[in-house]
Amino acid sequence: FPTRRSSDLMMENRSFDHMLGYISGIPPQYACNYNGAPYRPYPLANPNLPLPDDPPHDWKAIATQMGPPSQGVFPMDGFVTSYSAIHRINPGDRPIVMGYFNGPQVPMSDFFARNYAICDHWFSSLPASTQPNRLMSMSGFSQIIDNVIVLPDQDLVYDWLDRHNVRWRVYHEGIPFFALMPKWLPAIVGNDHFRPFGQFFRDVTEEPDDEFPQVIFLEPIYTDAPHLGRSSDDHAPSPISPGQQFLLDAYRAASLDPGRWSRMVMVVTYDEHGGIFDHVSPPLVPTAPPAGANYNTPFNSLGVRVPSFVVSPYVTAGRVYGETLDHISILKFIGEKFGGGQGYSPVVDGRPVGSVSDVLDLT
């Protein structure tokens, strides 16, 4: 690979149809039935307004949302039923979980889709909530089935990069996600691997090439973390306009230096769908519990589809990549680039999904 830099930006809890269905098209016959009535997707009015709720999205709720599979295909028709557990649904209502945005309301997402590559079959790694999916994206496995107060101490991509002598850094607008894993607290407080997001702009243009990180993680302000003002991660009930501003700031900073941008691959994705509708059935890709897991039953499929982009000079403008990807695809790419021919790990490399490298179509 000629690329010299990789950056990863993961947002929170929105589905593909919710953010990008206006591009790919939502089948007009698609509906979620509840109490004998069909509830169809509808356009939302204002991206500056918060949602009324944070829809259920733990693994039990997601099983309801996807529905029981028939011949390996999930009906994807239980989103309103699941939402009714926290919000009364009356005939004629427009449940928020069936709403979607259009291009002018998501200007940066629309910009990425039209000028770089959109991945319309990128799924969350597990039909589970935020923390298990973020652990999958940063470890290749998850010891937990649902969100917990303190994350288990498991090996992260940070550790892998250290072992392979790869320079890496986290630029964070708010509290970094892995403050939830106690072993990383000293590094977050006093280690050069973690810097405020605002410093990213200066580092891109001023830091020497032998000090600038080879792998970059960009983190927004998380809704569920202590913070002042608005969050920028898109986690419901937060509005999405601050998230679009964060994507703009991240893109502007990453592309400030033409030389560095010419060698960069930036991946933008969401950890999971947040209980919001999507009509595409996830593939039957199994995930076995790892050693030390707090669950015993394997996951039989990937999770719900999420908005994902590969933003790079190495992709054709407007490219639509339709093969199956999930968060493990990022680790596969890192293993291909920095693993010295050995890949990332047997679990990651053996997962039957593609790599981010498969999206790159320009030399």
Side-chain angles (χ1 to χ4, degrees):
F1 298 100
T3 53
R4 293 287 299 278
R5 308 280 182 247
S6 172
S7 61
D8 176 24
L9 190 165
M10 180 172 278
M11 303 288 278
E12 286 264 341
N13 294 38
R14 303 282 174 154
S15 74
F16 187 98
D17 274 344
H18 176 70
M19 298 290 284
L20 296 170
Y22 72 94
I23 291 179
S24 63
I26 303 168
Q29 72 275 14
Y30 174 75
C32 287
N33 291 317
Y34 174 69
N35 279 349
Y39 292 83
R40 302 188 185 280
Y42 67 93
L44 293 168
N46 192 339
N48 297 307
L49 294 178
L51 302 187
D53 309 285
D54 180 16
H57 51 275
D58 65 334
W59 65 274
K60 292 180 180 178
I62 296 169
T64 298
Q65 292 158 17
M66 291 168 51
S70 175
Q71 297 182 337
V73 177
F74 296 91
M76 308 302 288
D77 61 358
F79 294 93
V80 176
T81 299
S82 173
Y83 184 52
S84 71
I86 67 163
H87 192 105
R88 181 180 177 86
I89 309 294
N90 298 309
D93 283 353
R94 285 185 156 188
I96 194 64
V97 294
M98 299 305 295
Y100 66 88
F101 294 103
N102 57 41
Q105 295 170 318
V106 288
M108 279 310 296
S109 298
D110 189 74
F111 172 81
F112 288 156
R114 299 187 187 282
N115 291 276
Y116 295 102
I118 184 172
C119 304
D120 69 354
H121 278 72
W122 187 305
F123 298 84
S124 51
S125 292
L126 300 175
S129 52
T130 286
Q131 292 179 4
N133 274 293
R134 285 186 174 264
L135 287 174
M136 289 293 290
S137 74
M138 298 291 282
S139 294
F141 63 95
S142 172
Q143 292 181 326
I144 57 175
I145 193 172
D146 210 345
N147 291 348
V148 295
I149 296 175
V150 178
L151 289 176
D153 181 3
Q154 63 178 68
D155 200 64
L156 299 179
V157 66
Y158 304 155
D159 303 292
W160 187 96
L161 292 168
D162 281 340
R163 290 194 296 269
H164 288 79
N165 299 312
V166 178
R167 297 186 306 277
W168 62 273
R169 190 171 294 146
V170 177
Y171 292 95
H172 51 96
E173 270 200 324
I175 298 174
F177 180 79
F178 283 101
L180 292 169
M181 189 177 286
K183 82 166 189 176
W184 285 103
L185 285 172
I188 290 171
V189 172
N191 191 303
D192 190 53
H193 282 307
F194 294 84
R195 292 185 177 181
F197 178 74
Q199 195 166 339
F200 185 35
F201 289 82
R202 184 169 68 248
D203 289 349
V204 167
T205 56
E206 298 180 6
E207 193 167 28
D209 207 46
D210 60 355
E211 297 177 17
F212 189 68
Q214 296 162 282
V215 178
I216 298 164
F217 304 92
L218 305 176
E219 297 198 47
I221 300 171
Y222 294 113
T223 299
D224 288 345
H227 65 277
L228 297 175
R230 303 177 92 183
S231 59
S232 56
D233 64 343
D234 284 353
H235 191 307
S238 297
I240 62 166
S241 52
Q244 292 293 298
Q245 180 65 51
F246 178 67
L247 294 182
L248 170 61
D249 293 341
Y251 175 73
R252 286 180 57 235
S255 59
L256 271 175
D257 184 291
R260 283 185 168 154
W261 177 246
S262 70
R263 297 173 291 167
M264 189 176 291
V265 172
M266 179 177 177
V267 181
V268 179
T269 188
Y270 285 68
D271 56 7
E272 41 98 356
H273 71 297
I276 300 171
F277 87 99
D278 192 84
H279 77 277
V280 174
S281 174
L284 297 179
V285 174
T287 302
N294 69 355
Y295 58 101
N296 299 316
T297 303
F299 288 98
N300 293 323
S301 74
L302 300 182
V304 178
R305 195 171 57 142
V306 291
S308 299
F309 311 92
V310 175
V311 181
S312 173
Y314 293 98
V315 295
T316 301
R319 175 165 167 76
V320 178
Y321 185 78
E323 300 301 316
T324 299
L325 302 168
D326 79 337
H327 303 328
I328 300 297
S329 302
I330 300 171
L331 297 180
K332 283 194 173 192
F333 180 50
I334 289 174
E336 292 163 355
K337 177 65 187 172
F338 300 110
Q342 301 300 309
Y344 189 90
S345 72
V347 170
V348 166
D349 300 334
R351 192 169 177 86
V353 298
S355 165
V356 169
S357 65
D358 299 329
V359 186
L360 310 181
D361 64 332
L362 297 178
T363 60

